[in-house]
């Protein structure tokens, strides 16, 4: 999950190292740092919380702007949904989400996320599922896929908390160490 350019047409200086020429982006291609928002999400990010695999990663790598760092969490198909890997980002002001991106694992294809749901929470505190994916496949390492919210039309949603729950990976029986 990556974060935000404030303009859908220019990625200029969202985060150090990212722009139209960084990370294999071409001029005119959408920014890989999503969601798009009228508020710079990094300026209002209060916290990132995630379950992690002991000693292997820290939640801050989820939004560090480096496509070669990765988040690792314990995963087992027998886990209850509420135990499966989850990332929660909390903002001090609402951010608007239209699209988001997910990247494949850097070393083990078996660890690639395959099924997940994205939730948004506003001031009311209630969680709303804004996108669900099942059976997604990545063809290569560090491959980024961009997904529109909801029915595929990218209808904006505004939230103060954003959560991604991984409910399936490519092959949990042969994974190389987590999600």
């Amino acid at each position: 999950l990556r974060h935000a350019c404030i303009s859908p047409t220019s990625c200029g200086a969202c985060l150090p190292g990212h722009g139209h020429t960084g990370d294999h982006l071409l001029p005119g291609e959408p920014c890989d740092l999503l969601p798009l928002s009228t508020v710079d999400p990094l300026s209002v990010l209060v916290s990132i919380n995630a379950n992690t695999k002991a000693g292997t990663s820290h939640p801050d790598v989820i939004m560090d702007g480096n496509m070669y760092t990765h988040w690792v969490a314990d995963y087992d198909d027998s886990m209850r949904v509420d135990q499966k890997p989850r990332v929660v980002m909390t903002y001090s002001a609402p951010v608007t989400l239209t699209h988001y991106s997910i990247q494949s694992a850097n070393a083990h294809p078996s660890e690639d996320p395959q099924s997940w749901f994205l939730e948004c929470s506003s001031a009311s505190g209630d969680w709303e599922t804004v996108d669900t994916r099942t059976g997604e496949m990545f063809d290569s390492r560090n491959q980024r896929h961009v997904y529109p919210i909801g029915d595929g039309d990218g209808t904006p949603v505004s939230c103060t908390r954003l959560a991604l729950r991984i409910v399936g990976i490519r092959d949990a029986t042969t994974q190389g160490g987590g999600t």
Side-chain angles (χ1 to χ4, degrees):
L1 190 63
R2 300 279 182 183
H3 263 273
C5 284
I6 57 174
S7 166
T9 58
S10 172
C11 294
C14 296
L15 288 175
H18 287 268
H20 285 293
T21 58
D23 291 340
H24 313 289
L25 295 177
L26 301 172
E29 188 177 353
C31 184
D32 68 337
L33 305 174
L34 300 169
L36 302 177
S37 180
T38 56
V39 173
D40 175 3
L42 292 178
S43 71
V44 295
L45 181 66
V46 175
S47 66
I48 304 172
N49 295 302
N51 46 347
T52 61
K53 187 171 184 135
T56 58
S57 68
H58 189 273
D60 290 347
V61 302
I62 294 165
M63 292 179 29
D64 67 359
N66 182 344
M67 70 182 288
Y68 298 105
T69 58
H70 61 283
W71 164 56
V72 180
D74 286 318
Y75 183 91
D76 187 298
D77 280 335
S78 66
M79 292 174 158
R80 295 187 323 261
V81 169
D82 65 326
Q83 296 172 319
K84 292 191 178 185
R86 187 176 191 219
V87 177
V88 178
M89 288 156 283
T90 303
Y91 303 95
S92 61
V95 294
T96 302
L97 178 72
T98 59
H99 294 75
Y100 65 101
S101 67
I102 295 203
Q103 184 172 302
S104 63
N106 65 346
H108 304 284
S110 58
E111 297 176 346
D112 288 349
Q114 192 172 34
S115 301
W116 62 84
F117 57 91
L118 187 69
E119 297 176 295
C120 179
S121 176
S122 60
S124 71
D126 295 329
W127 287 102
E128 173 190 356
T129 300
V130 295
D131 195 49
T132 301
R133 301 288 166 162
T134 57
E136 295 293 317
M137 294 295 285
F138 293 86
D139 298 325
S140 61
R141 304 304 81 227
N142 294 311
Q143 182 180 24
R144 175 184 57 97
H145 288 182
V146 177
Y147 300 95
I149 293 300
D151 295 328
D153 61 0
T155 301
V157 296
S158 182
C159 49
T160 54
R161 291 188 305 156
L162 185 62
L164 174 71
R165 172 82 68 184
I166 306 294
V167 294
I169 63 174
R170 188 170 183 168
D171 186 355
T173 60
T174 63
Q175 65 181 321
T179 313

